[in-house]
Amino acid sequence: MTVKIEESWKQRLSEEFEKPYFKTLTDFVRQEYSTRAVYPPAKLIFNSFDQCPFEQVKVVIVGQDPYHEPGQAHGLCFSVNDGVQIPPSLVNIYKEIHNDLGNPVPASGNLERWSRQGVLLLNATLTVRAHQAGSHQHKGWEEFTDSAIYHLANERENLVFLLWGAYAQRKGSVVDTNRHLVLKSPHPSPLSAHRGFFGNKHFSKTNTYLRAHGISPIDW
């Protein structure tokens, strides 16, 4: 099966495209896009991979589902298009960055600037039906994104995995903590951020680790 995805990722994930689950997933996703409002726009389903080639990844942030309201999702977890109101979880991420590093809070929720620096903003599920959170879960996307994490964890060294919330932590359980830095905390959602996301200092810890391994830090 031909899938439009950045070439270095295509090389690693090509075996997934030939598996039965991926054909079933593709058929489902095509049907959904042809009959319903689905996000992100189809050309941006693999945007997280397209913006952050395999060998350029330094940091992996694992999300769960794309945003499901109009104009928000563009294929990067926690990120929204310019001009869109910043969602509550990202508001809290920005607060923690400000408290951790002193950086000013950006006016835009577009995190493409992180992707270009090597931050893979990976949702476990890459599509969603409008207004219906979780509507495309358990259709095969999780197996596909598990494979992406597996390749990173086993073929690269000294990556940082930021796992916020129980879901992301289960997703990242395959990562060898002797090869990579794995940082865990509660999710930045307003429902849980006060239980340990605030004060986790994940952003300074990430940059300290990268510098210690001769890797340029992220400008958060």
Side-chain angles (χ1 to χ4, degrees):
M1 182 182 296
T2 302
V3 177
K4 288 186 177 178
I5 190 171
E6 192 275 332
E7 189 59 35
S8 65
W9 282 107
K10 180 178 278 191
Q11 291 171 17
R12 270 85 184 180
L13 298 172
S14 58
E15 70 269 20
E16 300 302 310
F17 304 147
E18 306 307 320
K19 292 180 179 178
Y21 88 85
F22 197 84
K23 181 178 190 315
T24 302
L25 170 64
T26 301
D27 291 344
F28 168 77
V29 169
R30 282 180 177 150
Q31 176 70 12
E32 286 282 286
Y33 273 93
S34 67
T35 58
R36 299 176 180 273
V38 177
Y39 304 122
K43 66 182 180 180
L44 296 178
I45 290 173
F46 298 110
N47 196 26
S48 57
F49 300 102
D50 294 340
Q51 294 216 15
C52 195
F54 185 85
E55 295 296 343
Q56 294 179 23
V57 176
K58 302 176 185 177
V59 180
V60 181
I61 298 179
V62 177
Q64 190 163 350
D65 232 20
Y67 295 119
H68 53 266
E69 296 302 323
Q72 291 182 307
H74 62 144
L76 309 176
C77 74
F78 293 107
S79 179
V80 292
N81 285 299
D82 291 319
V84 174
Q85 183 176 358
I86 300 175
S89 289
L90 183 54
V91 168
N92 287 339
I93 290 169
Y94 281 169
K95 282 181 183 175
E96 176 57 24
I97 292 171
H98 174 71
N99 291 335
D100 186 12
L101 297 170
N103 294 9
V105 174
S108 172
N110 189 328
L111 301 180
E112 288 180 355
R113 59 197 172 82
W114 291 4
S115 290
R116 289 193 291 268
Q117 296 179 75
V119 181
L120 181 68
L121 296 165
L122 182 65
N123 275 318
T125 302
L126 298 187
T127 55
V128 69
R129 197 180 292 171
H131 319 302
Q132 296 184 42
S135 50
H136 285 190
Q137 291 178 7
H138 312 302
K139 303 295 185 183
W141 279 131
E142 294 91 342
E143 187 171 344
F144 178 76
T145 52
D146 278 349
S147 178
I149 291 171
Y150 177 85
H151 280 282
L152 285 167
N154 287 279
E155 296 174 33
R156 297 286 311 280
E157 301 279 347
N158 305 135
L159 300 180
V160 181
F161 289 82
L162 301 182
L163 306 178
W164 300 329
Y167 184 92
Q169 288 163 25
R170 288 193 299 272
K171 189 93 174 158
S173 61
V174 300
V175 179
D176 182 350
T177 55
N178 293 312
R179 292 178 66 167
H180 306 285
L181 178 64
V182 177
L183 297 175
K184 302 177 183 180
S185 82
H187 194 276
S189 160
L191 299 174
S192 56
H194 62 283
R195 296 205 300 264
F197 178 80
F198 290 134
N200 67 19
K201 298 191 179 298
H202 280 186
F203 304 96
S204 60
K205 289 175 180 176
T206 292
N207 282 349
T208 297
Y209 179 85
L210 293 174
R211 286 191 189 99
H213 290 88
I215 302 165
S216 58
I218 305 299
D219 178 3
W220 298 108

